């Protein structure tokens, strides 16, 4: 795209200042994600130890059974579900729903990331695919403070309150887990991030969660959230992602910081736009033999904007614009659907010889 190299230079130099700050935090960021090769994926017990720095959460109920929806801990769970500020203050999140909770527990592996598991009273534990420790009522090895969390049975009324449901909708499981540490993509070795999804002003939590799940399923290394995006850890986003946000590295920042990440990893920056080039043509220009290490390689950063506004002018000035050709009088697609198509198209080893 004409002018792209010229734009990258000044933005890259502007990003260098932010990058210097990022590199100052590099050791901390790298330590967060050694297990997944990115900064945030393995916060583990460290996240638990750090939770609650801003505000103290109530102690776990004793006895392993919660009956009243007015219980202080039930009220704490409601605030985790509804209030982003409270989630950040206590450093924990609430995952609601049978399938999302099972997937989250399987992904976390009981490595100090679970504070408490809530199971509806009267529902047998073997009705779900749960780790062994999660089948017993009472406190786990860490008493909910690390290791494996507490297992609490809750009444129907308490579960409805926790899950935010007016009527019984078949929700039998909820889990309180420690929030993952934020990723620091620029601190990774150059070339270690061949595919990065960036979202610009995506406010709908269903779309954001769906895009995160698609990114994880298609092998993209992380998600960068530009200003205006919704909280990836709110209830609806977590439901849509099925808890993927807890294991997929996520970083927040402005366009200058994203430009620096792209420069560090040699990412070709593409933005979805109805006026862009045919994405299939751009795909053919990418290498088909994987992503070479180091700056200048064949990596991709794909930026998606909201359905109503698209990407910002700042994003447009930095990125090549790509489009999905439409037929039949349809002028656009839902951003969740369009993002899935583009991520599949530009996945690793997506050059001209790929099927």
């Amino acid at each position: 795209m004409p002018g792209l190299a010229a734009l990258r230079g000044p933005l890259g130099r502007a990003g260098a200042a932010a990058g210097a700050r990022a590199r100052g935090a590099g050791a901390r960021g790298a330590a967060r994600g050694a297990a997944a090769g990115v900064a945030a994926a393995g916060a583990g017990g460290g996240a638990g130890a750090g939770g609650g720095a801003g505000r103290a959460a109530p102690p776990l109920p004793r006895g392993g059974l919660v009956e009243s929806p007015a219980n202080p801990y039930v009220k704490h769970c409601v605030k985790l579900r509804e209030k982003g500020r409270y989630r950040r203050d206590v450093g924990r999140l609430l995952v609601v729903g049978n399938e999302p909770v099972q997937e989250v527990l399987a992904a976390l592996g009981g490595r100090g990331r679970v504070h408490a598991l809530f199971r509806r009273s009267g529902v047998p534990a073997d009705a779900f695919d749960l780790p062994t420790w999660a089948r017993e009522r009472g406190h786990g090895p860490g008493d909910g403070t690390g290791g494996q969390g507490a297992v609490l049975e809750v009444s129907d009324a308490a579960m409805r309150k926790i899950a935010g449901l007016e009527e019984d909708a078949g929700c039998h499981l909820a889990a309180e887990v420690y929030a993952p540490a934020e990723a620091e993509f620029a601190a990774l070795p150059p070339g270690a991030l061949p595919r990065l999804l960036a979202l610009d002003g995506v406010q709908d939590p269903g779309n954001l969660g769906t895009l995160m799940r698609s990114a994880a399923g298609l092998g993209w290394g992380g998600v960068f959230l530009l200003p205006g995006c919704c909280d990836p850890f709110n209830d609806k986003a977590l439901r849509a992602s099925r808890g993927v946000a807890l294991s997929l590295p996520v970083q927040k920042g402005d366009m200058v910081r994203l430009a620096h990440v792209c420069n560090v990893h040699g990412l070709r920056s593409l933005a979805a736009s109805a006026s862009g080039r045919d994405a299939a043509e751009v795909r053919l220009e990418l290498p088909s033999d994987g992503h070479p290490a180091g700056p200048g390689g064949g990596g991709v950063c794909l930026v998606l904007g909201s359905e109503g506004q698209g990407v910002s002018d700042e994003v447009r000035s930095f990125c090549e614009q790509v489009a999905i050709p439409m037929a039949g009088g349809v002028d656009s697609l839902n951003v969740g659907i369009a993002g899935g198509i583009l991520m599949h198209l530009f996945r690793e080893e997506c050059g001209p010889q790929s099927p």
Side-chain angles (χ1 to χ4, degrees), residues 1-318:
M1 174 180 177
L4 179 63
L7 283 167
R8 273 187 170 173
L11 276 173
R13 288 192 293 273
R21 294 191 296 272
R23 289 183 183 279
R28 296 191 301 274
R32 292 170 188 157
V38 285
R55 186 181 303 190
L60 284 164
R62 294 295 175 181
L65 177 63
V66 179
E67 296 187 272
S68 172
N71 184 288
Y73 211 82
V74 172
K75 295 180 179 180
H76 157 73
C77 290
V78 171
K79 288 200 288 185
L80 284 180
R81 177 168 51 80
E82 294 181 344
K83 300 182 182 298
R85 175 68 179 270
Y86 187 74
R87 289 192 292 270
R88 291 189 292 272
D89 281 349
V90 301
R92 300 181 211 152
L93 316 168
L94 187 72
V95 182
V96 174
N98 304 338
E99 292 299 325
V101 168
Q102 291 175 86
E103 291 190 13
V104 165
L105 293 184
L108 297 182
R111 301 181 203 169
R113 296 280 295 278
V114 181
H115 186 75
L117 172 69
F118 304 95
R119 193 174 69 229
R120 187 190 290 262
S121 181
V123 177
D126 58 8
F128 308 105
D129 184 14
L130 298 174
T132 301
W133 65 267
R135 298 173 182 271
E136 302 296 329
R137 194 178 96 177
H139 290 300
D143 283 352
T145 59
Q148 297 163 344
V151 181
L152 304 172
E153 287 193 2
V154 298
S155 68
D156 290 355
M159 180 59 82
R160 287 197 299 272
K161 189 75 170 178
I162 290 171
L165 303 172
E166 294 295 329
E167 298 178 0
D168 188 342
C171 179
H172 303 310
L173 296 175
E176 181 181 0
V177 301
Y178 295 113
E182 186 172 337
E184 188 65 76
F185 295 129
L188 298 175
L193 187 67
R195 294 293 184 273
L196 176 65
L197 174 67
L199 303 179
D200 180 25
V202 176
Q203 298 179 345
D204 183 270
N207 284 334
L208 188 139
T210 297
L211 287 165
M212 294 186 73
R213 185 167 178 81
S214 297
L218 293 169
W220 288 58
V223 175
F224 193 103
L225 299 180
L226 288 161
C229 290
C230 72
D231 184 352
F233 302 123
N234 77 28
D235 179 48
K236 291 182 180 179
L238 281 173
R239 284 174 185 258
S241 76
R242 305 289 282 272
V244 159
L246 297 171
S247 56
L248 183 67
V250 178
Q251 181 178 350
K252 299 178 182 179
D254 59 16
M255 189 61 222
V256 171
R257 181 64 62 87
L258 177 60
H260 178 65
V261 171
C262 292
N263 288 337
V264 167
H265 296 287
L267 303 181
R268 184 170 178 174
S269 304
L270 308 175
S273 171
S275 60
R277 291 176 59 197
D278 186 336
E281 295 179 0
V282 178
R283 169 185 182 263
L284 297 176
E285 299 171 1
L286 298 174
S288 60
D289 56 352
H291 172 58
V300 170
C301 173
L302 174 66
V303 188
L304 304 172
S306 67
E307 290 181 50
Q309 302 297 324
V311 296
S312 67
D313 291 340
E314 190 176 22
V315 169
R316 291 176 187 272
S317 71
F318 180 70

